Structures are given as structure tokens and as C-alpha cells.
Amino acid sequence: MELSAYLPQLLSIATLATIMAISPGADFVMITRNSLVYGRRAGVYSALGVGLAIWIHVAYSIAGVALLIAQSVVLFTVIKYIGAAYLIYLGYQSLRAKHHIALDLAHKAAPSKALSACSALRQGFITNALNPKTTLFFLSIFTQLVSADTPVAIQLVYGLIISLAHLLWFVLVAMFFSHFAFVHALQRYQRLIEKTLGVILMGLGVRVATLSQ
């Protein structure tokens, strides 16, 4: 197996994965919210959850389920509605939250109500795993750019590239939105920002529910 033979596909997938990662969507809003409200640790763990969830999409794509999803309106609709419901749930949580960010003497953001690493990772994982936008991305990659003759090892490399692109981008997002200077500047607007992000998450949920295959 010559890796160089697949270099054009590798470059194409790396480019598409980068565009996919940085395009605003549910993952971005969720990680922005967790980083701003709960701090850098929560944001990074949420990013890790997104990176891990990518492998769910890789697994079903390699197994051939991607083709089944592409051809099954019912299956895609079930995934779509579950994902939409979860986004609306996260948005509702933001709207009803009563905690706020406090700045300690070490000049670090210290949320008054912490989000555990496990909860942050779970939110990132579920948000991406049930994201129809990500599902559609993998459907296009593995039903058009990847042929039946592409070795599984190469497909795993594709998955690794996509996973790393998402992980690196969202870690950067988490670091930016949890930076002390940024949090300090927006502290007085934190409640408004959190509720706004909650509305956006709920809006994304509604949009996902109306998404066509």
C-alpha cells in the first residue's frame, strides 16, 4: 500500500475537514458556551468529546452504514430529531441557568457552578455524534471521495485527520473564549451572553429538525 497514491485524497479531506471544523455550528456554540461559562478545562474536555465523537462517524462510514443512512430517509430522520432535541435541551439549560462567573485573585475565571470533566466531555461527544451536519459531511466523504477499493488503513488515516482537525480547532476556541482578558471584558454581560447562546442552541435545534437529507 503506497500512501503517496492517496495523497490527493488526503489533501482534499484535510481541507474539507478544516472547513467543516471552523464553520459555525452546534459544536462551536456549545464549546463557546462551556468555555465562557465554566472555564477552559470544561471547554477543552468538550473539544475532546467532539474529537472522540468523530470516530463514531468514521466507524459507521467504514462499516458501510453511511451508505444505508444515505439511502434511508427514516434512519436519517431519527438521527436528526434526536440531535435536534439534544441541542434544544442544552439551550434550555442555558436559559434557566442561574450561576455566574467569578474572577478570583489569581486572575482566572472561576465559575460558581463547575461543569465536571466527564459532563463536559459527554456534552461535546453527544453534540457531535448526533449532529446531522457532521453526518452529512461523512456521507459525502465516504460515498463520493472514498471508493470500495480504499484500504481500511487509509480510511482510518482519513478519520484521524478529520478528528485532529476538529480537536485542534475547538481546543483553540476553548482557549480563546476562556482567556482571562476575554472573560473579564465580558463578565458584566455573562448572563446575557449565556442566554443568547442558549437561544442560538435552541434555534440550531429547530434548524436541525427541519434539515433535509
Side-chain angles (χ1 to χ4, degrees):
M1 177 184 65
E2 287 292 337
L3 187 61
S4 58
Y6 296 94
L7 187 58
Q9 281 190 355
L10 285 169
L11 293 175
S12 296
I13 289 175
T15 301
L16 291 171
T18 301
I19 295 172
M20 173 68 181
I22 66 178
S23 62
D27 296 336
F28 180 84
V29 177
M30 179 272 302
I31 290 175
T32 297
R33 166 186 173 270
N34 286 355
S35 302
L36 181 61
V37 177
Y38 299 107
R40 179 168 299 176
R41 182 170 178 266
V44 170
Y45 272 99
S46 298
L48 179 59
V50 170
L52 290 174
I54 291 296
W55 288 99
I56 296 295
H57 301 288
V58 173
Y60 69 64
S61 297
I62 292 178
V65 180
L67 185 59
L68 174 63
I69 295 174
Q71 296 176 342
S72 173
V73 175
V74 174
L75 184 55
F76 180 81
T77 300
V78 169
I79 295 172
K80 179 179 68 174
Y81 284 136
I82 294 175
Y86 187 70
L87 290 178
I88 292 172
Y89 166 73
L90 289 181
Y92 174 72
Q93 280 192 320
S94 289
L95 289 178
R96 65 188 296 269
K98 299 183 183 301
H99 53 274
H100 65 280
I101 295 174
L103 296 180
D104 63 20
L105 295 178
H107 305 296
K108 295 179 180 179
S112 59
K113 184 178 179 181
L115 183 69
S116 69
C118 182
S119 295
L121 188 144
R122 183 174 62 248
Q123 285 189 9
F125 185 90
I126 296 176
T127 299
N128 183 270
L130 296 178
N131 189 346
K133 177 179 140 182
T134 307
T135 300
L136 288 173
F137 171 73
F138 274 86
L139 292 181
S140 64
I141 291 293
F142 281 83
T143 59
Q144 297 182 37
L145 295 182
V146 178
S147 69
D149 298 326
T150 304
V152 172
I154 294 296
Q155 295 184 53
L156 290 174
V157 172
Y158 294 164
L160 180 61
I161 291 173
I162 298 169
S163 178
L164 287 177
H166 281 72
L167 177 61
L168 293 175
W169 168 249
F170 286 121
V171 165
L172 289 175
V173 170
M175 293 179 68
F176 176 79
F177 283 103
S178 62
H179 192 278
F180 170 78
F182 186 85
V183 175
H184 180 68
L186 296 179
Q187 185 184 20
R188 61 185 297 187
Y189 305 108
Q190 187 265 332
R191 290 291 300 278
L192 176 61
I193 291 172
E194 183 176 8
K195 291 186 182 302
T196 300
L197 291 175
V199 171
I200 293 174
L201 280 169
M202 295 182 76
L204 285 171
V206 173
R207 182 179 178 183
V208 163
T210 58
L211 184 69
S212 299
Q213 185 172 5

